[in-house]
Amino acid sequence: MSAQLLDGKAVAAQENERTRERVRALLERGVVPGLATVLVGDNPASHVYVANKRKTCKKLGIASVDADLPADASEETLLETVRRLNEDPRVHGLLVQMPLPKHIDEHRVLEAVDPQKDVDGFHPRNVGLLALGRPWMIPCTTMGILRLLERAEVGIAGKNAVIIGRSNIVGKPTALLLLSLHATVTLCHTRTRDLPGLVSRSELVVAAMGKAEAIRGDWIAPGAVVIDVGINRVGEKLVGDVEFASARERASLITPVPGGVGPMTIAMLMENTVTLAERVAGGLS
Ligand code: NAD
């Protein structure tokens, strides 16, 4: 039997509609939610992501505050830009697009973002709160995965979940969140032994490794739920980290690439921005 598709594009459109309603309510109170995106250099993928984020802001009525710096901008210039946006009352959410050029220390930059405006949830304080099971701002891709599972009414408590990839932006926060929701979590990386065995014993598989179709369809347990975060360019095509056609034959639910987690990440960025604006408007921040 072929798995049902977890259609991220369709769910993201519904979530954006809800966000638009929340924007409308804020506007009625005289608050224009604002998202600042800082882009350094000319990484082509980053340019596409940031352009998409800015476009979606406009569609939903969120003010987009753009700060673009050249590839040779100094770390100090970037830190000054972040500090200026921290102080800017038009800005409720602030993100610095990763990766940054090699001469810039990413950790220093992420620590400079005001944790109250940290829309990506990457500031050490917000990472710590997530690790403690008291999330204040959940990273957008992790939120997108969670929302897809919620909308499809996939229970998480008690599930054996495997996450492949331990990056700070996807794998680790997703592992922490699923753990706090009572899944039994296995977090895999390049030194993991017997990846096929671990995947085949899991009811929920989250692939976030950035390796085209590295998770083979015949590793997937019958009836498992498969979330493919990977975005890999193969010739003219985009493919995920999971061998889609064969995995679909075994899974019960599976995300496509493109049109799965990607649109959800942007939708959750918009939602997080509005949440931050509501917190300020409600004096909760
Ligand atoms: P990353 O390169 O920072 O991390 C990759 C992780 O995968 C590492 O922890 C590494 O140990 C692990 N890994 C790599 N090869 C492996 C292997 N053969 N076996 C086991 N583990 C292995 O990547 P990232 O930033 O977390 O992104 C992962 C993928 O997700 C990329 O394709 C990226 O483009 C995509 N991505 C998608 C979205 C989205 O919204 N859909 C958001 C962020 C990232």
Side-chain angles (χ1 to χ4, degrees):
M1 211 182 76
S2 182
Q4 203 182 318
L5 274 192
L6 277 174
D7 184 345
K9 206 171 157 193
V11 177
Q14 290 162 9
E15 302 303 314
N16 283 340
E17 217 30 68
R18 288 195 176 82
T19 301
R20 202 197 302 272
E21 284 302 317
R22 289 166 67 184
V23 170
R24 222 169 270 149
L26 279 166
L27 292 176
E28 275 169 18
R29 297 166 64 188
V31 178
V32 184
L35 173 66
T37 45
V38 182
L39 178 60
V40 186
D42 32 43
N43 178 317
S46 295
H47 270 263
V48 173
Y49 296 145
V50 167
N52 254 328
K53 291 171 186 178
R54 290 173 178 169
K55 195 177 76 191
T56 313
C57 275
K58 297 213 168 71
K59 272 201 335 221
L60 299 188
I62 295 171
S64 174
V65 180
D66 308 344
D68 294 343
L69 300 177
D72 61 356
S74 69
E75 184 174 297
E76 198 42 48
T77 304
L78 174 55
L79 289 171
E80 271 166 27
T81 305
V82 169
R83 286 185 209 115
R84 175 173 57 77
L85 294 167
N86 281 343
E87 298 302 319
D88 187 336
R90 293 175 305 162
V91 173
H92 300 96
L94 163 53
L95 75 85
V96 180
Q97 183 65 43
M98 300 289 157
L100 290 170
K102 292 238 172 340
H103 65 279
I104 295 177
D105 179 349
E106 286 190 355
H107 295 291
R108 279 197 74 193
V109 175
L110 292 178
E111 281 167 35
V113 172
D114 179 349
Q116 310 278 355
K117 295 192 175 186
D118 174 30
V119 70
D120 266 338
F122 293 160
H123 186 281
R125 192 180 91 174
N126 291 325
V127 176
L129 287 169
L130 180 61
L132 290 169
R134 297 170 47 208
W136 192 83
M137 190 57 20
I138 296 172
C140 303
T141 302
T142 298
M143 269 284 278
I145 295 169
L146 175 66
R147 188 61 58 79
L148 270 178
L149 294 173
E150 282 173 349
R151 295 293 180 232
E153 297 181 355
V154 174
I156 293 170
K159 284 251 158 69
N160 283 333
V162 67
I163 296 158
I164 309 111
R166 60 171 161 189
S167 73
N168 289 335
I169 66 165
V170 186
K172 263 187 225 162
T174 303
L176 289 171
L177 186 75
L178 292 178
L179 186 62
S180 74
L181 296 172
H182 317 293
T184 301
V185 175
T186 304
L187 183 54
C188 301
H189 45 79
T190 43
R191 310 276 180 95
T192 295
R193 278 180 285 156
D194 193 22
L195 193 56
L198 291 166
V199 170
S200 70
R201 288 191 287 281
S202 300
E203 300 158 282
L204 174 59
V205 179
V206 180
M209 57 209 288
K211 295 274 177 295
E213 299 184 321
I215 304 296
R216 299 241 313 260
D218 58 6
W219 300 355
I220 302 295
V225 174
V226 178
I227 307 286
D228 192 350
V229 184
I231 302 175
N232 310 288
R233 188 166 284 283
V234 175
E236 291 297 293
K237 262 182 68 185
L238 287 184
V239 300
D241 289 349
V242 179
E243 217 177 44
F244 180 79
S246 50
R248 191 175 186 186
E249 292 307 311
R250 298 172 69 92
S252 58
L253 288 167
I254 189 167
T255 58
V257 175
V261 178
M264 290 302 294
T265 297
I266 297 200
M268 295 301 101
L269 174 65
M270 300 299 129
E271 183 175 309
N272 279 357
T273 301
V274 169
T275 299
L276 290 172
E278 287 171 349
R279 285 178 183 166
V280 172
L284 293 173
S285 198

